Amino acid sequence: MAAAVPQADRQCREAARPTRDRVALDRGADRAHHICRIHHRALKVAERLERDGYGLGDRIATLAWNTARHIEAWYGIMGVGAIYHTLNPRLFPEQITWIMNNAGDKAIFVDLTFLPLLEKIAGAVKSLKQVIVLTDKAHLPETALPKVVAYEEWLAEADGNFAWKTVDENTAAGMCYTSGTTGDPKGVLYSHRSNVLHAMIEAMPDAMGLSSRDTILPVVPMFHANAWGLAQSAPMIGAKLVMPGCKMDGASIYELLDTEKVTFSAAVPTVGMMLLQHLEETGKKLPYLQKVVIGGASCPRAITTKFQDDYDVQVVHAWGMTEMSPVGTLCTLKPDYAGLKGDARLAVQQKQGFTPFGIEMKVTDDDDNELPWDGKTFGRLKVRGPTVARAYYGGIGSEQFDEQSWFDTGDIAHIDPGGYMQITDRAKDVIKSGGEWISTIELENLAVGHPDVAEAAAIGIPHSKWGERPLLVIVLKPGREPTKTHILAFMDGKVAKWWMPDDVAFVGEIPHTATGNIQKITLRQQFRDYHLPTD
Ligand code: AMP
């Protein structure tokens, strides 16, 4: 029997110390600001859940923005020994229905914004017994959903006199489904142990380097890969959390950064870009923000440069996956790289970085032979560690895990002698030309550095001599009209000659998945009959 103190207890105790101002502040869906000490209300959630009959191992869903109430619900669920199951509202309704049925969710905490979505699907989720709407009675609209309660009134029936349930540390605490572009989504479970270890690992100085002096704004959603663990590591170290609610545009994020004097934030590149655009348009500055972690997709050089040079904000490029809790690597600078300046420094920061303590990684060829860490030989990226999944829920997708617990990430990467990993592709997207791989990510990052390019995607087009050659598909910024020659001239000399796209196609729009990634399968279908001028 492993140590048996639930994670919720340890973290919330710190978050709730009455003498210190450790709070979660948010912009909930139905009110401007809400200040909350997580601990007491989480205890009430647990007490209330137990009274309604929920307990060990029950899956309880959440369909909600990053708000204080969402965090309270998480800790309350964990505190009763049940499993918080975050649902991603950006998925298609049929996918969410499938996921809820697969997980067997018994109850759901839902934000007002997502009530119409839940109304559409709840009837098809057989296990669902109760809907707790994250609002108060005054704001609860008419709804045809059965067994609905308003969170605040439901919570008011408890006094918080509750002792956290004691469970084995290997008990499941959380659950999240991958938003895979092919096949059905796969369920990943996080144990109390893996969540605690993950929160400790990411807070370390050479990882995210979090401290109790930080004010943390997790823009990355709790419903996609655990808000990168910040809803756990911030309470663990006693930092103040600022929750953005449903507004993630540049102006709204800026307002929170400024009024709450946020020192640390984490977001995907698109949000970083929106914020930078807002700053450029308004001439505003970022006097409080010290560090921003950018991940989820490759961080374009332009974002790193602007944050660092124009606003004096350190960028930490990060890579991870739902299956990894999610943090896998972070790009802070070790002593060998710390003195680098200008382009050399930026080149390192383009990499996704090194694994923090606890996570192992390697790159292999298709026959599982380990490849050298020379910074150029790329292969399949595999990882393992106490915060990395060892199976999917229900045993599906087991081919991604081997007997030594190595998980095949499906990413293609190289690792340099200093241990810095760089993703070059998803395995299914890499272009194979003359038997050698061309990184589509590198071509895309380079292309978006052109001032007229809004978005770029590189795909392989069949070629009679080389097997495949790259086509660059581009969406231009409004009013810009560069030619193919301009774009190619801009890229020339910045990648190997044989990586240069054979052609450039301009389109009005690039297809995206429900979660905002470029949908390469659809794009390849669109260009199925495309004939390259070089063939
Ligand atoms: P998800 O599980 O939905 O968070 O997606 C994980 C996938 O996102 C990874 O396997 C990568 O393909 C991609 N990803 C995450 N972070 C990065 C990054 N910094 N650069 C490139 N790809 C990334």
Side-chain angles (χ1 to χ4, degrees):
M1 177 88 170
V5 182
Q7 169 205 14
D9 188 10
R10 296 185 218 173
Q11 296 182 13
C12 287
R13 215 182 284 148
E14 182 60 17
R17 285 195 185 167
T19 51
R20 295 162 60 186
D21 185 29
R22 301 291 173 258
V23 299
L25 172 96
D26 77 16
R27 249 202 295 230
D30 60 341
R31 57 210 166 141
H33 283 96
H34 168 66
I35 292 182
C36 136
R37 285 180 170 72
I38 303 168
H39 180 252
H40 187 61
R41 285 170 56 95
L43 278 167
K44 288 169 98 177
V45 173
E47 183 185 342
R48 222 31 216 88
L49 283 173
E50 186 174 60
R51 198 180 303 164
D52 287 352
Y54 304 103
L56 189 67
D58 286 335
R59 272 81 66 206
I60 300 185
T62 66
L63 189 59
W65 299 107
N66 285 11
T67 66
R69 283 170 174 158
H70 196 174
I71 295 192
E72 294 159 14
W74 268 23
Y75 282 105
I77 294 167
M78 288 187 279
V80 82
I83 303 167
Y84 68 83
H85 172 203
T86 47
L87 294 167
N88 186 339
R90 291 180 184 143
L91 296 178
F92 300 111
E94 310 77 58
Q95 279 178 308
I96 301 177
T97 312
W98 187 93
I99 288 172
M100 290 186 78
N101 277 316
N102 190 256
D105 293 325
K106 285 194 175 167
I108 185 167
F109 289 87
V110 58
D111 258 343
L112 277 178
T113 326
F114 303 123
L115 212 48
L117 171 60
L118 187 64
E119 282 166 346
K120 267 193 230 153
I121 63 175
V125 182
K126 300 292 167 246
S127 52
L128 197 63
K129 292 198 299 195
Q130 192 174 20
V131 176
I132 303 151
V133 188
L134 293 161
T135 187
D136 55 26
K137 227 175 192 164
H139 292 88
L140 187 67
E142 285 273 314
T143 170
L145 283 168
K147 300 185 193 107
V148 171
V149 290
Y151 178 75
E152 291 298 341
E153 280 69 19
W154 176 80
L155 204 63
E157 291 166 15
D159 60 12
N161 185 14
F162 182 85
W164 300 121
K165 290 286 171 226
T166 299
V167 294
D168 184 288
E169 65 177 4
N170 289 305
T171 307
M175 185 180 208
C176 182
Y177 277 69
T178 62
S179 39
T181 40
T182 49
D184 285 327
K186 296 178 205 129
V188 177
L189 284 167
Y190 310 111
S191 66
H192 288 264
R193 175 187 163 82
S194 71
N195 269 353
V196 170
L197 288 173
H198 182 264
M200 287 166 69
I201 286 169
E202 83 169 5
M204 288 196 300
D206 286 324
M208 291 192 187
L210 305 174
S211 101
S212 59
R213 292 171 296 286
D214 276 316
T215 296
I216 298 176
L217 173 71
V219 185
V220 288
M222 292 165 71
F223 59 70
H224 191 177
N226 266 327
W228 299 351
L230 289 167
Q232 284 134 347
S233 50
M236 174 180 278
I237 53 156
K240 173 174 159 181
L241 267 173
V242 175
M243 304 301 271
C246 58
K247 290 189 177 162
M248 266 161 279
D249 59 288
S252 304
I253 294 297
Y254 172 78
E255 192 197 329
L256 281 182
L257 292 173
D258 195 54
T259 52
E260 297 307 322
K261 300 187 170 58
V262 169
T263 58
F264 179 101
S265 190
V268 293
T270 322
V271 171
M273 198 60 106
M274 287 194 302
L275 174 64
L276 287 168
Q277 248 163 29
H278 174 76
L279 295 172
E280 262 169 45
E281 282 160 19
T282 56
K284 291 182 167 145
K285 296 284 174 211
L286 294 171
Y288 312 108
L289 190 64
Q290 291 165 9
K291 196 188 287 181
V292 60
V293 176
I294 303 275
S298 172
C299 178
R301 204 181 174 97
I303 291 191
T304 312
T305 321
K306 283 209 175 106
F307 268 120
Q308 292 184 166
D309 296 352
D310 299 355
Y311 301 100
D312 201 19
V313 174
Q314 183 196 347
V315 173
V316 177
H317 192 188
W319 164 84
M321 298 181 80
T322 304
E323 291 88 334
M324 301 186 74
S325 302
V327 169
T329 60
L330 294 133
C331 193
T332 55
L333 299 181
K334 290 183 183 179
D336 283 352
Y337 291 148
L340 293 175
K341 299 252 176 317
D343 277 351
R345 188 183 182 89
L346 278 172
V348 173
Q349 292 192 295
Q350 281 299 102
K351 300 179 188 230
Q352 279 74 7
F354 59 93
T355 51
F357 171 78
I359 302 168
E360 289 176 85
M361 69 175 167
K362 63 178 180 181
V363 279
T364 74
D365 63 16
D366 285 341
D367 298 322
D368 203 29
N369 299 308
E370 202 165 338
L371 298 171
W373 289 23
D374 59 7
K376 52 179 195 272
T377 311
F378 40 95
R380 292 182 161 277
L381 179 62
K382 296 179 182 169
V383 291
R384 67 177 177 189
T387 54
V388 180
R390 285 193 295 274
Y392 287 115
Y393 183 65
I396 47 171
S398 54
E399 66 283 353
Q400 272 179 265
F401 304 88
D402 73 13
E403 306 81 64
Q404 281 84 41
S405 298
W406 285 104
F407 166 64
D408 188 337
T409 62
D411 285 330
I412 302 294
H414 53 68
I415 306 173
D416 75 12
Y420 282 66
M421 181 276 288
Q422 184 156 16
I423 301 273
T424 56
D425 247 306
R426 289 294 291 164
K428 56 184 167 38
D429 295 335
V430 71
I431 299 172
K432 252 189 174 171
S433 170
E436 299 293 331
W437 289 347
I438 295 176
S439 159
T440 61
I441 291 187
E442 201 152 319
L443 294 180
E444 288 157 9
N445 276 349
L446 191 53
V448 294
H450 188 288
D452 297 339
V453 173
E455 194 172 19
I459 52 170
I461 298 287
H463 191 281
S464 54
K465 181 172 177 195
W466 300 108
E468 270 186 344
R469 290 292 304 153
L471 167 71
L472 188 65
V473 183
I474 278 183
V475 178
L476 290 172
K477 289 185 183 163
R480 310 287 174 85
E481 292 179 340
T483 60
K484 292 178 186 185
T485 325
H486 282 132
I487 303 283
L488 292 174
F490 172 80
M491 296 173 72
D492 196 23
K494 296 181 181 121
V495 285
K497 267 259 174 287
W498 63 278
W499 280 30
M500 283 292 285
D502 280 23
D503 204 6
V504 180
F506 296 102
V507 294
E509 201 184 340
I510 285 176
H512 289 95
T513 62
T515 48
N517 293 332
I518 293 177
Q519 203 162 34
K520 291 264 174 99
I521 299 179
T522 314
L523 200 60
R524 279 194 289 265
Q525 264 162 8
Q526 276 175 18
F527 284 89
R528 203 177 37 217
D529 302 323
Y530 198 81
H531 195 81
L532 288 167
T534 52
D535 196 8

